[in-house]
């Protein structure tokens, strides 16, 4: 399996506060890696370092063997997409234009091609009927599905999700998770920070448990959820599964 | 000679109506040019001031940006911290004494009002940018947009909508404050009024007319700006396109655009 992401010794400090303390992780093509862990453990910071929304303080991140720090920023961001907890759809644009803007400006695609692609992915996430709606006119689940379509339009090789369902009302969680499942079936490589343990268990190829800025355990869900090795993983799972 | 208030008003209007009109036209022109140019200056300054350099930026780039930001801050402080009447004198006489440039009065007027307004606009735009959720900028970066693309395509369109009332206010201020340009003999409506008043020593009557002119200008444009704001606050409805199976079903949905889910 070809390696898409390779992270070694990743450190991140905010002032004197060390948030990531030497992370090593590798993600293969087509893999779905779910990242779980207590709040404040550095999961978001880890994802944000991968596509350089945060600048790492140390370590190396390779994207298909290339050092991301040496890649042109636009290229990196087009290859490594991001879906946010708060959706962050462009509020001044319709759902369709959200999907078109990046293609036009960053990839320099023609208007026709951009719209064709946007329609294709909006259809895939079930948002085609709402293409003319602005973010403020959409529900949380609809916004997140449109945001996923926006990311897909850039033809990313990896898609990073930072708690894509945490800001959603419970009844909208499933519509977003089922969209993510279809992406897995399509073979897209994904890293997903999530608190949805049931989803991680059946959708992930690997689950990574993070605590206090470190990867504590990294195993297939069948192992990590059933027979976790590390006591911290055990304690975390005991706490979350009970709740 | 007339001997009543209204007699004088009528007399002065008849004799100097043309001057009042051309003065008012110049005032309006200065306010429009100054506000539009100042707004563009403000946007550009704000774009530069919000640049954040990348990890790999070289020392030269860093120094250049630092110097540019310092200069822009100085510009804003100086032009907000001194009266426009003084700025007009300095620019006009500075240009003639030290640059050998005899600026036409109107050119000097456009220059001074634009630069002065630009300093205020830069701060207004900055406030507008701060009012836009930080997630918008992150999303722009995350799809690969450059600072310029994110600013012009995502951030500023939202910021401008938020600051439109303040921008309109600057325009109204410029209609009124361009009166100080009479010190460099710009033929705006205050200057014209002073000339008209001097001939017959009818200061009260002339400036009564002048204040009515100013009020008509500011009142009209305040109302116009309200209308524009309403227009820009956008359509509250959108069409839901029917599914493939029933594409004839198109539903107009009206929902409060501010009412977040
Ligand atoms: N921009 C920032 N500046 C300072 N501290 C930050 C910043 N972003 C995150 N942190 C800190 O880093 C730690 C990890 O945060 P985060 O990565 O968001 O954790 P998680 O996503 O696992 O909840 C937290 O203690 C948080 O306060
Ligand atoms: Mg987080």
């Amino acid at each position: 399996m070809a390696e898409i992401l390779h992270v070694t010794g990743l450190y991140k400090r905010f002032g004197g506060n060390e948030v990531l303390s030497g992370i090593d992780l590798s993600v293969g093509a087509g893999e779905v890696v779910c990242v779980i862990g207590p709040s404040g453990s550095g999961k978001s910071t880890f994802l944000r370092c991968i596509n350089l929304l945060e600048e790492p303080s140390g370590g190396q991140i390779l994207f298909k063997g290339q050092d991301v720090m040496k890649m042109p920023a636009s290229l990196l961001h087009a290859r490594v997409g991001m879906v946010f907890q708060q959706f962050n759809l462009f509020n001044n644009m319709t759902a369709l234009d959200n999907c078109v803007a990046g293609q036009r400006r960053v990839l320099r695609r023609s208007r026709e091609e951009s719209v064709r692609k946007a329609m294709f992915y909006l259809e895939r996430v079930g948002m085609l009927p709402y293409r003319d709606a602005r973010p403020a006119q959409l529900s949380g689940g609809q916004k997140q599905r449109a945001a996923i379509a926006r990311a897909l339009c850039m033809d990313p090789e990896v898609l990073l999700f930072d708690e894509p369902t945490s800001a959603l009302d419970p009844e909208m969680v499933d519509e977003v998770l089922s969209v993510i499942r279809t992406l897995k079936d399509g073979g897209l490589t994904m890293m997903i920070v999530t608190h949805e343990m049931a989803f991680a268990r059946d959708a992930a190829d690997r689950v990574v448990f993070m605590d206090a800025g470190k990867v504590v355990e990294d195993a297939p869900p069948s192992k990590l959820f059933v027979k976790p090795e590390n006591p911290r993983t055990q304690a975390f799972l005991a706490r979350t599964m009970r709740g | 000679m007339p001997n009543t208030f209204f007699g004088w008003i009528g007399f002065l209007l008849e004799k100097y109506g043309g001057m009042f009109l051309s003065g008012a036209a110049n005032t309006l022109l200065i306010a429009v040019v100054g506000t539009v140019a100042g707004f563009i200056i403000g946007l550009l300054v704000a774009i530069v001031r919000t640049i954040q350099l990348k990890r790999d930026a070289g020392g030269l780039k860093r120094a250049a940006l630092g110097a540019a930001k310092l200069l822009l801050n100085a510009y804003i402080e100086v032009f907000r911290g001194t009266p426009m009447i003084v700025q007009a004198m300095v620019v006009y006489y500075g240009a003639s004494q030290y640059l050998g440039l005899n600026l036409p009065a109107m050119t000097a007027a456009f220059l001074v009002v634009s630069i002065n307004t630009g300093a205020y606009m830069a701060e207004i735009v900055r406030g507008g940018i701060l009012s836009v959720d930080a997630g918008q900028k992150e999303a722009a970066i995350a799809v690969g947009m450059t600072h310029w693309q994110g600013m012009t395509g995502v951030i500023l369109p939202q910021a401008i909508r938020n600051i439109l009332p303040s921008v309109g206010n600057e325009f109204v201020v410029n209609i009124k404050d361009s009166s100080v340009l009479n010190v460099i003999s710009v033929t705006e409506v205050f200057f014209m009024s002073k000339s008209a008043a001097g001939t017959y020593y009818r200061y009260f009557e002339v400036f009564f007319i002048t204040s009515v002119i100013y009020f008509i200008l500011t009142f009209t444009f305040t109302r116009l700006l309200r209308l524009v704001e309403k227009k820009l606050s956008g359509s509250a409805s959108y069409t839901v396109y029917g599914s493939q199976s029933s594409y004839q079903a198109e539903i107009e949905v009206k929902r409060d655009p501010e009412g977040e889910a």
Side-chain angles (χ1 to χ4, degrees), chain B residues 45-261:
Chain B
V45 169
I47 288 177
V48 174
R49 288 213 295 174
T50 49
I51 294 178
Q52 270 167 352
L53 280 182
K54 306 253 158 46
R55 52 223 141 93
D56 52 357
L60 197 67
K61 228 176 171 179
R62 236 166 247 287
L65 183 66
K69 283 186 180 176
L70 206 71
L71 273 175
L72 291 177
N73 282 340
Y75 154 61
I76 292 165
E77 290 300 324
V78 168
F79 276 83
R80 280 160 42 107
T82 54
M84 191 158 76
I85 191 167
V86 177
Q87 294 161 12
M89 297 296 272
V90 169
V91 167
Y92 186 69
Y93 291 105
S96 96
Q97 288 176 17
Y98 285 89
L99 304 175
L101 269 177
N102 279 317
L103 292 178
M106 277 303 267
T107 309
F110 292 148
L111 201 66
V112 169
V113 178
S114 302
I115 298 174
N116 177 280
T117 308
Y120 286 92
M121 289 288 192
E123 285 294 287
I124 292 172
V125 173
R126 193 169 74 103
I129 290 172
L130 289 176
S131 75
V132 177
D133 175 40
Q136 297 288 305
K137 175 147 191 249
E138 298 217 316
I141 295 173
V143 295
M145 291 190 196
T146 60
H147 179 70
W148 173 262
Q149 289 172 334
M151 274 301 187
T152 54
V154 177
I155 311 296
L156 288 178
Q158 297 180 50
I160 288 170
R161 229 160 89 172
N162 293 346
I163 62 175
L164 214 64
S166 310
V167 173
N169 189 49
E170 282 301 301
F171 178 67
V172 171
V173 165
N174 279 340
I175 291 178
K176 294 187 288 181
D177 285 6
S178 54
S179 58
V180 304
L181 297 168
N182 79 86
V183 295
I184 54 169
S185 305
V186 176
T187 52
E188 41 70 46
V189 70
F190 183 89
F191 181 87
M192 293 303 212
S193 306
K194 243 179 27 175
S195 319
T199 322
Y200 297 95
Y201 295 99
R202 303 309 300 189
Y203 285 92
F204 173 69
E205 290 82 356
V206 165
F207 280 96
F208 181 83
I209 295 171
T210 313
S211 47
V212 170
I213 292 174
Y214 273 118
F215 184 74
I216 291 173
L217 289 179
T218 55
F219 186 81
T220 313
F221 283 93
T222 316
R223 299 300 111 167
L224 270 177
L225 287 165
R226 288 272 153 77
L227 271 179
V228 174
E229 267 166 49
K230 267 225 182 99
K231 268 263 152 58
L232 276 183
S233 70
S235 153
S237 66
Y238 65 98
T239 306
V240 176
Y241 298 98
S243 63
Q244 229 112 5
S245 47
S246 62
Y247 46 83
Q248 62 274 60
E250 285 189 5
I251 313 153
E252 180 98 337
V253 177
K254 287 194 196 323
R255 216 191 279 178
D256 179 9
E258 308 309 325
E260 285 280 316

Side-chain angles (χ1 to χ4, degrees), chain A residues 151-173:
Chain A
L152 292 171
C153 283
M154 305 300 287
D155 293 325
E157 299 201 42
V158 195
L159 206 44
L160 310 174
F161 293 79
D162 190 2
E163 301 199 27
T165 59
S166 295
L168 298 179
D169 293 334
E171 72 270 19
M172 294 170 186
V173 169

